[in-house]
Amino acid sequence: MTSNAPLSWPDLPAKQQPTWPDRQALNDATQSLSVLPPLVFAGECDILRQRLAEAARGEAFVLMGGDCAETFAAATADNIRDRIKTILQMAAVLTYGASTPVVKVGRIAGQFAKPRSKDTETRGETTLPAYRGDLVNDFAFTLEARNPNPERLLQAYHTSSATLNLVRAFTQGGFADLRFVHEWNRGFIANSANARYERMAGDIDKAMRFMAACGVDFEEMRRVDVWASHEALVLDYERPLTRIDSRTGSRYATSGHFVWIGERTRDLDGAHIDYISRVTNPVGIKVGPSADPAEIVELARRVDPDRIPGRLTLITRMGADTIHAALPPIVKGVSDAGLEVTWVCDPMHGNTFESSTGYKTRRFEDIVEEVRGFFEVHHALGTIPGGIHVELTGNDVTECLGGAMHVEDRDLELRYETLCDPRLNHQQSLELAFVVAEMLQSR
C-alpha cells in the first residue's frame, strides 16, 4: 500500500521540460495523476534492486531493451507481444552465454518522452514546438498537434497501465515458457544468414534435452519477470506518481520499476538528480564520453549516499571509436572511490549518424564493437561488465545498417518507422544477443 499524500519538491532548475500553455489544465492533470493507483509497487522495485546488485557482483547479467520512444498508437497487443518476445529470445541466449540469470528490463510502459536538442522545429518557413514524445505533444507538424497538452500525461498513465497488464499476462501466463522461446530461436538459426550461430544453438538444445532428462520441472520456467523502465524526463509526470510506502515510509517512483536520468539532464544541482536521489527505486544515470570522472563520482555519492547494492546503475554511451579512451578513467574513478555500481553499456546513442540517403541511423557493427570495447575495458580494470541497454523493436523495420541481413543505405526507406532514434529490428536484436553471448563465454 502507498500513501497519496502530497509531496513537496525544492525549486531547482529543470532542463528539457515542456512549456505548458495552460497552467490550469496542467494542475488538473497532475492532481488527477496524484490520486490514481500506482503503476508499480514498492516491493517489486526492491526485488529488482536485489537483482541489479547481483549483476554488479557478476552473479547476473542485465538486458535492458525496448523502444526508443513509445507511442500511444503503437501500444497494441501485437507490438507489445513482439517486443516482449524479442527480449525473451535475447535473454535465453544471453543466459546460456553468461551461465547466470538475465535480469530483463524493458524500455516499456513509460518511455513516452524524449529530450530534444532544440525547442523548435522548422520546416520551410514554418517553425513549431519540437516533438517531445507522445507524453507531451503529437508528431504531426501542425500548431494544434505540437502544442504541449497536459491531458497527454493522463493518456500516458492509462497506456502504461494497459501495457503493464499485458506484459504481466504474457510473462506469467505461459508465453515466456523457455521451451517456446528456444523453438523461436531455432527459427532464427534456420535462416542461412545466421548459420554461424548454429553451434551455440545446438549447445543450448543439448542443455534443454539434458534438463528434461534430469526431470527438471519446466513448469517453473513458464514464468519470468520483465521489469518496466523509462527515462524520468518530464517531472510533471513523475512527481505526481511518486508515493510514500506505508511499510517503510520511503518514497517510490511508481511510474516504473527503474527510472534513469539522461546525459542532458544529469546536472549535479538540477531537479532531475534531486528527484532520483529522493526515491528508493533502483535508478540509472547515462554517462557519455565527455563526462568528468570526478563529477560522476559526486553524482554517485549524491544519488546513493548509503551505498546500497543495486541502487545505482551507470549506463555508459561512448561510441565505438571512443570507448577505449573515454571509459577507463570513469570506471577507475568510480572504483577507486569505493562505490559499488552496476555497469551497463548503451551501444546505441554514441554511434548515431546521418546516412547518405538522409536517414538518422546506426551501424550494427559499430554497436557490436562498442559492446566489445565495454567488456575489454572492464576486464582490463578488473571490474564487472553488468549488462547492455539496447533500443530495439520486435518488428522487421529497416532503421539500422548492417547485420547478417545486410541492411544497406538504400534499404532504410523500406520500413523506417521510428519517430526519434533508429532501433535494431527483430533479427538484428537476436544476432546481437548471440554475439554478446560469445563474448560472455570467453570471459
Side-chain angles (χ1 to χ4, degrees):
M1 297 293 291
T2 57
S3 168
N4 291 337
L7 297 172
S8 60
W9 306 94
D11 185 15
L12 298 173
K15 292 182 177 178
Q16 296 286 336
Q17 299 307 287
T19 302
W20 305 104
D22 188 337
R23 299 301 300 183
Q24 185 56 52
L26 174 63
N27 291 339
D28 291 344
T30 56
Q31 176 60 31
S32 295
L33 278 177
S34 70
V35 296
L36 286 169
L39 290 170
V40 303
F41 297 96
E44 296 174 328
C45 300
D46 293 343
I47 293 171
L48 175 58
R49 188 174 62 248
Q50 294 166 13
R51 301 290 179 267
L52 293 171
E54 292 167 359
R57 297 191 297 268
E59 299 167 5
F61 191 77
V62 180
L63 171 62
M64 294 184 175
D67 226 324
C68 160
E70 295 177 284
T71 64
F72 299 151
T76 65
D78 287 350
N79 282 337
I80 296 166
R81 176 202 62 206
D82 290 345
R83 218 175 318 156
I84 294 301
K85 179 179 177 181
T86 301
I87 291 172
L88 293 175
Q89 287 182 259
M90 294 177 72
V93 175
L94 292 170
T95 300
Y96 182 80
S99 297
T100 63
V102 169
V103 185
K104 295 166 277 293
V105 184
R107 290 173 58 110
I108 199 166
Q111 186 58 18
F112 291 109
K114 292 293 289 183
R116 311 308 294 175
S117 56
K118 295 173 61 178
D119 289 336
T120 60
E121 178 184 354
T122 300
R123 299 185 190 178
E125 297 182 356
T126 304
T127 298
L128 296 175
Y131 172 63
R132 292 186 173 275
D134 276 15
L135 183 72
V136 177
N137 55 6
D138 194 87
F139 185 73
F141 197 70
T142 67
L143 181 58
E144 181 181 8
R146 289 297 179 90
N147 266 337
N149 181 357
E151 292 181 6
R152 288 177 166 270
L153 301 175
L154 293 168
Q155 191 172 358
Y157 170 90
H158 291 297
T159 305
S160 297
S161 177
T163 299
L164 280 171
N165 285 340
L166 197 55
V167 169
R168 285 169 173 141
F170 282 139
T171 56
Q172 302 299 316
F175 180 78
D177 190 311
L178 184 59
R179 291 165 292 190
F180 296 160
V181 174
H182 181 56
E183 286 301 319
W184 297 334
N185 281 344
R186 278 183 174 175
F188 171 78
I189 296 300
N191 188 317
S192 60
N194 303 312
R196 60 167 285 199
Y197 309 115
E198 188 171 359
R199 179 176 178 180
M200 184 179 294
D203 290 344
I204 296 174
D205 194 52
K206 290 177 183 177
M208 295 282 290
R209 292 201 301 270
F210 176 77
M211 287 190 292
C214 291
V216 170
D217 184 4
F218 276 94
E219 287 302 306
E220 292 301 314
M221 299 185 186
R222 296 179 72 248
R223 302 174 183 84
V224 300
D225 291 317
V226 175
W227 311 97
S229 74
H230 64 271
E231 180 177 358
L233 182 62
V234 178
L235 297 176
D236 288 325
Y237 180 73
E238 302 300 335
R239 286 169 171 168
L241 287 172
T242 303
R243 307 290 166 78
I244 300 293
D245 177 43
S246 59
R247 300 170 305 140
T248 63
S250 300
R251 284 189 179 102
Y252 283 82
T254 68
S255 61
H257 300 107
F258 178 98
V259 293
W260 75 83
I261 300 303
E263 269 274 279
R264 294 172 178 170
T265 53
R266 59 171 175 78
D267 293 354
L268 188 60
D269 296 318
H272 289 85
I273 290 298
D274 177 79
Y275 174 74
I276 63 166
S277 71
R278 293 173 183 272
V279 297
T280 310
N281 307 56
V283 297
I285 300 174
K286 288 283 190 84
V287 181
S290 63
D292 177 4
E295 180 189 14
I296 300 304
V297 168
E298 186 56 36
L299 282 171
R301 287 172 172 159
R302 178 76 59 88
V303 172
D304 183 27
D306 297 325
R307 302 187 182 187
I308 300 170
R311 158 69 173 161
L312 178 60
T313 297
L314 293 180
I315 307 169
T316 62
R317 38 163 294 179
M318 299 291 162
D321 294 336
T322 59
I323 189 165
H324 284 96
L327 184 57
I330 295 171
V331 174
K332 189 173 186 305
V334 171
S335 181
D336 288 349
L339 303 173
E340 181 178 317
V341 304
T342 307
W343 292 101
V344 169
C345 175
D346 169 359
M348 309 294 290
H349 287 88
N351 295 303
T352 308
F353 66 97
E354 185 173 308
S355 73
S356 61
T357 50
Y359 288 93
K360 189 178 182 181
T361 191
R362 294 154 174 162
R363 289 190 184 89
F364 178 82
E365 289 71 22
D366 291 341
I367 292 167
V368 169
E369 283 309 303
E370 178 154 356
V371 177
R372 193 181 310 280
F374 175 76
F375 276 92
E376 289 171 352
V377 167
H378 282 285
H379 291 166
L381 295 174
T383 48
I384 305 295
I388 58 174
H389 182 119
V390 188
E391 290 184 338
L392 60 83
T393 174
N395 302 328
D396 292 323
V397 300
T398 53
E399 297 171 2
C400 290
L401 300 171
M405 302 302 291
H406 300 296
V407 177
E408 300 182 10
D409 274 11
R410 65 174 180 269
D411 301 320
L412 294 177
E413 65 178 359
L414 298 177
R415 285 197 65 181
Y416 194 95
E417 299 176 1
T418 183
L419 298 186
C420 289
D421 292 338
R423 305 158 295 176
L424 295 177
N425 63 28
H426 179 70
Q427 293 288 315
Q428 290 169 327
S429 300
L430 295 185
E431 184 177 357
L432 179 63
F434 275 97
V435 173
V436 175
E438 290 175 342
M439 297 179 196
L440 288 165
Q441 284 187 319
S442 64
R443 287 192 297 185

